[in-house]
Amino acid sequence: MRFTAVLRTPARAAEPLFARAPSAWQRMLPYVVAGIFVVALLPATVAVLTNDYKAGGGWAGALGVAQTVPLLLAVTRPLPAWALILTADTLGAVVLTHADRVAGHAWPWTPMCIVGYLVLMICLGLRESIRTLIGVWLVTGAAGVVLGFFEPDGVTTTSALLFVLSGGVLAVTGALRGIGDAQQRVAEQESISEAERARRTLLEERARIARELHDVVAHHMSVITVQADSAPYRLPGMSEPVREEFAAIAASARESLSEMRRLLTVLR
C-alpha cells in the first residue's frame, strides 16, 4: 500500500490520524511526532521567552505549556487543539507587547509559535474539510491583522509569514488527504467489482449446471417414465407383478422428474 493511501480522512470524529494504517509503526507515528515536537518546543519556548524577550518566568512557563502541549490533542481532535493554541499564541503576543526586550525580535508569532502552528496545520489538513481549512486560514490571518494594531516599535512582524506558511501547509496536506481518499474510493470500487465478478461467475456456473441437468438427466428421466408406462402395452402377456413393478418404476421416475424440475428452478 502506498503511503498516500494512509493519508485519508478518519472515519470517526475522534479517530486518531493514521488509525487505519496497516502497520503498527504508521499508527503510532502521529503520537511520536507530536510528542517529539512538544518535548522540543516546550523548553525552547520557555528559554526564548525568558532570555530573549525577558518575559517573566511565570508567564514564560505558562505560555510554553499552553502553546505546545495541545499538540498532543491534535492527533485526535486538531480543531479544539487549534483553538487552544491560537488563543495561547494570541495571549502570548499580547503579553510580549509589555516584555522588556521585544524590540528586534519576532512578533506577534515567535519562531516556536510558528513551528508548532505549522505542525498543527498538518494535523488539520489531514482531517478537516476544505471549508474548515479555509476558515482556519482566514482566522489565522485575521488574528495577525488585529494584533498588528498593537504592534510594538522595532519588532520583526511575522503575521504575513505565518499566514503564507500555514496556507501552504494546509493546501499541501489537504491535497495529500484528497489523494488518499480517492485511492480509498478506488480500492472500494475494485473490491465491489471483484465481488460482482465472483457473483456473476457463480450465477453462470449454476445456469450451466441447470442446462446440463435439463438437457441430459431430465430427458432420460422422461424417457424412463414413458417406457415404464408403455411397457404393458408393448409387451403383451405380462404378469400382474411385472405390471406393478413397471408402474412403480414410472411413478418413481415421475417423482424424480418433478424434484429435478424444482431443483432446476432453484438453480436458475
Side-chain angles (χ1 to χ4, degrees):
M1 178 182 292
R2 288 178 291 181
F3 189 69
T4 50
V6 180
L7 303 177
R8 56 181 183 262
T9 305
R12 300 185 303 275
E15 181 179 291
L17 294 173
F18 300 1
R20 290 175 287 170
S23 302
W25 73 267
Q26 290 177 335
R27 293 191 293 270
M28 290 299 299
L29 184 61
Y31 293 100
V32 173
V33 172
I36 290 174
F37 274 100
V38 170
V39 171
L41 290 176
L42 178 55
T45 299
V46 175
V48 169
L49 293 179
T50 303
N51 299 327
D52 294 350
Y53 290 85
K54 298 302 180 182
W59 276 112
L63 290 174
V65 171
Q67 292 174 351
T68 58
V69 172
L71 287 176
L72 298 174
L73 178 63
V75 176
T76 55
R77 296 185 180 276
L79 205 56
W82 168 74
L84 292 173
I85 289 180
L86 181 61
T87 301
D89 290 349
T90 304
L91 178 61
V94 173
V95 170
L96 290 181
T97 58
H98 304 288
D100 295 337
R101 291 177 55 184
V102 66
H105 294 91
W107 189 92
W109 319 123
T110 65
M112 289 70 61
C113 286
I114 293 175
V115 173
Y117 203 81
L118 294 181
V119 173
L120 181 59
M121 293 299 100
I122 293 175
C123 297
L124 281 168
L126 294 177
R127 175 183 291 272
E128 302 299 334
S129 65
I130 298 299
R131 180 179 299 180
T132 301
L133 298 183
I134 293 175
V136 167
W137 185 52
L138 293 178
V139 170
T140 300
V145 171
V146 172
L147 288 172
F149 291 105
F150 307 96
E151 180 178 314
D153 295 331
V155 298
T156 302
T157 304
T158 55
S159 298
L161 176 63
L162 181 61
F163 185 66
V164 172
L165 291 178
S166 62
V169 171
L170 289 175
V172 171
T173 52
L176 289 175
R177 191 266 312 273
I179 293 173
D181 288 344
Q183 290 179 348
Q184 176 67 13
R185 288 192 294 270
V186 170
E188 291 174 353
Q189 288 298 323
E190 290 177 349
S191 177
I192 293 173
S193 299
E194 185 65 28
E196 185 63 27
R197 283 194 295 270
R199 178 177 176 273
R200 188 180 302 114
T201 301
L202 176 61
L203 292 177
E204 291 174 353
E205 182 65 16
R206 290 173 61 176
R208 184 187 65 80
I209 294 173
R211 284 195 304 270
E212 292 182 357
L213 288 174
H214 179 271
D215 295 341
V216 179
V217 180
H219 172 71
H220 288 304
M221 294 299 296
S222 298
V223 171
I224 292 172
T225 302
V226 172
Q227 289 179 338
D229 282 335
S230 63
Y233 305 100
R234 292 184 292 103
L235 302 172
M238 188 179 296
S239 63
E240 188 62 28
V242 175
R243 289 175 179 272
E244 292 177 355
E245 189 67 25
F246 274 111
I249 292 173
S252 297
R254 279 192 293 271
E255 183 179 353
S256 298
L257 187 59
S258 298
E259 290 295 324
M260 179 68 65
R261 287 170 177 164
R262 184 187 62 80
L263 178 60
L264 292 178
T265 302
V266 173
L267 287 176
R268 290 173 176 172

